[in-house]
Amino acid sequence: MTDIDLWGGMDTVAPSEPNPFDPGTEEHAAWQRQEDEARADVLAARRKQRQDEETERQLTLIRARHAAEKVWAEEQAALAKAAADDAARVHDGATFLLDLPPTPPALWGKGEDILWARGEALMIAGPQGVGKTTIAGQLLRAVAGLHHEVLGFPVEPCDQRVLYLAMDRPEQARRNLGRMFAGNADEREFLADILRFWSGPPPSDFAADPAALLRLAQQHGADVVFVDSLKDAAVGLSKDEVGAGYNRARQLALAEGVQLIELHHVVKNGADGGKPNNINGIYGSTWLTSGAGSVVLLWGEPGDPVIDFMHLKQPMNEVGPLKVLHNRETGISEVYHDEDTDVVALARRCQSTGISAAEAARCQFSVEKPTKAQVEKARRHLHRLVESGLLVFKPASEEGKGGRGNGDRWFAVAPASWMSDSEPSDNRYGE
């Protein structure tokens, strides 16, 4: 039987052709080479993938080790700093009790008349519109190094920067403070470097987050912070837990060398419906004033050019009471003297008889019947005027009188003996 010719018919045998995939042919060899190369490429890719995976794994381990080392170093640095801070706050008994300076280092004040002591917060309290921000602005200029004194008392400048937290009506505070710096336009670069102002509410409630005040100061490189005002720094100041929380924030900042001035308000009415005459007139929890080193009360009606200045809590001597005159155009204040309120002027009018401590108290505190405490305060004030060379003291024994100092008299010194040549003729005592 013959094969069928698929192309042309019967009885034709198909041509015999070699199979290209048969081993030994050139085609098969070329195909085998391609297969081998492809297989080698796949194996190389797999090896590279494994190498890349191992490299990434090693890199991950190295990164983790470096991150752990960084965290460890930070933890050790924090522990070392905490230990150093603790060591700085721990003193042996002899050092703590015996190595005391004669007077606290004053940031605002001189001698024993200190209104603001280093390491102790100063609170300036008063009703609305009596010049709390005005006094604070003058202290701001002084700690920035643009002025040397406020109300006749020298002020120490800051070492780093000043941060003013303008949380209570910031735009109004900006206008008020702006008047005091209007003459410093040529020092724009200096003001840009030395002062920082925070406008509006704080980043967190200082009573709920006591470390926030210190963080804010450190963030801006400030070693003096003005808190304007306390009611905006913490909510609910009448509650003891809030007052204690804010005091914690205050003490943390002070412990790290941040000096504080706080503006605050008073209760709506004093004990008799009028001017508060003691620390209880300050609004809020007792921990607010208990934690402050000095508390000053300003009193008057909103817009009064002359207001009362009382030192309710003192680091050393009580300063004042004073009458303070605000210059509404310049924003600068000065101690106001007249013959009705100045003890030295009263002694000069009574040159032949002198004045007693009770008479000085009536003049100093503007009362008809001074309390025993007011008389004693007046007596201390009179003795300081003697030390300053403004008065002469004659005890009761020299007048032939007794009665526990009731006969003590103070006399004004003749003007020529105590006025310096450099003092202007229209000095503060009316000469």
Side-chain angles (χ1 to χ4, degrees):
M1 185 173 184
T2 60
D3 293 332
I4 299 176
D5 185 356
L6 298 178
W7 292 273
M10 300 294 291
D11 301 328
T12 302
V13 178
S16 175
E17 296 181 358
N19 186 346
F21 296 101
D22 288 343
T25 63
E26 292 183 1
E27 288 83 355
H28 182 270
W31 172 80
Q32 188 64 49
R33 285 195 299 273
Q34 291 177 355
E35 284 291 307
D36 292 343
E37 290 174 358
R39 186 178 296 106
D41 290 343
V42 170
L43 293 175
R46 288 177 179 174
R47 283 195 300 272
K48 185 177 185 306
Q49 181 179 0
R50 287 195 296 270
Q51 290 172 351
D52 290 345
E53 290 174 351
E54 179 62 19
T55 299
E56 185 61 33
R57 189 179 72 84
Q58 293 295 332
L59 285 173
T60 300
L61 292 174
I62 293 172
R63 293 188 190 104
R65 185 171 66 254
H66 282 246
E69 289 173 351
K70 182 179 179 181
V71 172
W72 173 257
E74 290 174 349
E75 289 178 352
Q76 293 304 304
L79 289 173
K81 182 179 183 303
D85 290 344
D86 290 345
R89 298 182 194 178
V90 177
H91 312 274
D92 63 81
T95 300
F96 190 79
L97 298 174
L98 303 179
D99 296 347
L100 291 170
T103 59
L107 293 171
W108 182 24
K110 57 185 175 182
E112 295 184 349
D113 295 336
I114 300 173
L115 288 157
W116 181 23
R118 182 174 294 277
E120 302 179 18
L122 165 64
M123 179 186 293
I124 302 175
Q128 300 180 43
V130 295
K132 296 187 295 295
T133 303
T134 299
I135 297 295
Q138 292 167 77
L139 289 168
L140 177 64
R141 292 180 73 240
V143 296
L146 298 173
H147 200 59
H148 301 298
E149 62 179 33
V150 175
L151 299 180
F153 293 93
V155 178
E156 286 291 318
C158 66
D159 295 322
Q160 299 176 31
R161 279 190 181 136
V162 186
L163 173 63
Y164 194 103
L165 303 180
M167 301 179 290
D168 182 9
R169 297 162 295 167
E171 288 303 313
Q172 183 173 330
R174 185 180 184 184
R175 292 192 300 271
N176 195 346
L177 297 171
R179 294 175 299 165
M180 307 178 199
F181 291 86
N184 300 105
D186 56 337
E187 300 183 64
R188 185 180 187 93
E189 185 176 344
F190 174 75
L191 293 176
D193 179 63
I194 197 71
L195 300 180
R196 292 290 183 272
F197 287 87
W198 176 280
S199 180
S204 60
D205 187 296
F206 291 161
D209 181 11
L213 176 57
L214 175 59
R215 286 199 307 269
L216 203 56
Q218 292 176 334
Q219 177 184 345
H220 297 283
D223 62 342
V224 177
V225 176
F226 287 71
V227 180
D228 183 7
S229 63
L230 285 185
K231 70 177 179 58
D232 305 282
V235 178
L237 292 177
S238 62
K239 300 176 182 177
D240 279 346
E241 59 269 26
V242 176
Y246 176 78
N247 185 53
R248 175 75 169 177
R250 167 200 281 158
Q251 302 305 330
L252 285 173
L254 292 171
E256 292 298 321
V258 178
Q259 311 303 322
L260 296 175
I261 291 181
E262 305 160 345
L263 275 59
H264 193 34
H265 294 81
V266 295
V267 294
K268 292 184 177 180
N269 294 302
D272 57 355
K275 176 174 63 176
N277 58 6
N278 56 47
I279 205 76
N280 295 326
I282 307 302
Y283 177 79
S285 166
T286 186
W287 306 123
L288 298 176
T289 53
S290 296
S294 182
V295 178
V296 166
L297 172 66
L298 306 182
W299 187 263
E301 293 296 326
D304 278 355
V306 178
I307 55 100
D308 294 330
F309 180 106
M310 288 155 287
H311 201 186
L312 299 183
K313 185 178 181 181
Q314 313 84 25
M316 287 290 287
N317 289 342
E318 179 182 0
V319 177
L322 307 171
K323 294 286 186 180
V324 173
L325 172 65
H326 294 314
N327 186 321
R328 298 297 178 183
E329 294 182 1
T330 64
I332 304 302
S333 306
E334 60 182 353
V335 176
Y336 175 75
H337 295 274
D338 63 20
E339 290 196 351
D340 293 329
T341 58
D342 191 278
V343 172
V344 174
L346 176 63
R348 292 179 62 77
R349 292 204 311 270
C350 305
Q351 184 63 47
S352 60
T353 61
I355 60 174
S356 68
E359 291 167 340
R362 284 196 288 271
C363 170
Q364 189 175 356
F365 295 97
S366 301
V367 294
E368 184 62 31
K369 294 182 179 181
T371 65
K372 289 183 179 180
Q374 289 172 331
V375 172
E376 288 306 310
K377 288 180 181 178
R379 185 184 301 277
R380 290 195 295 270
H381 180 59
L382 289 167
H383 283 305
R384 288 197 295 273
L385 292 174
V386 171
E387 293 173 0
S388 300
L390 300 178
L391 296 180
V392 173
F393 173 56
K394 291 188 178 181
S397 59
E398 294 187 15
E399 298 293 328
K401 299 178 181 178
R404 301 176 55 147
N406 291 333
D408 293 344
R409 310 295 289 183
W410 285 262
F411 294 81
V413 176
S417 66
W418 58 265
M419 283 182 60
S420 65
D421 294 336
S422 62
E423 189 171 1
S425 59
D426 57 339
N427 69 83
R428 70 181 200 175
Y429 297 114
E431 291 298 315

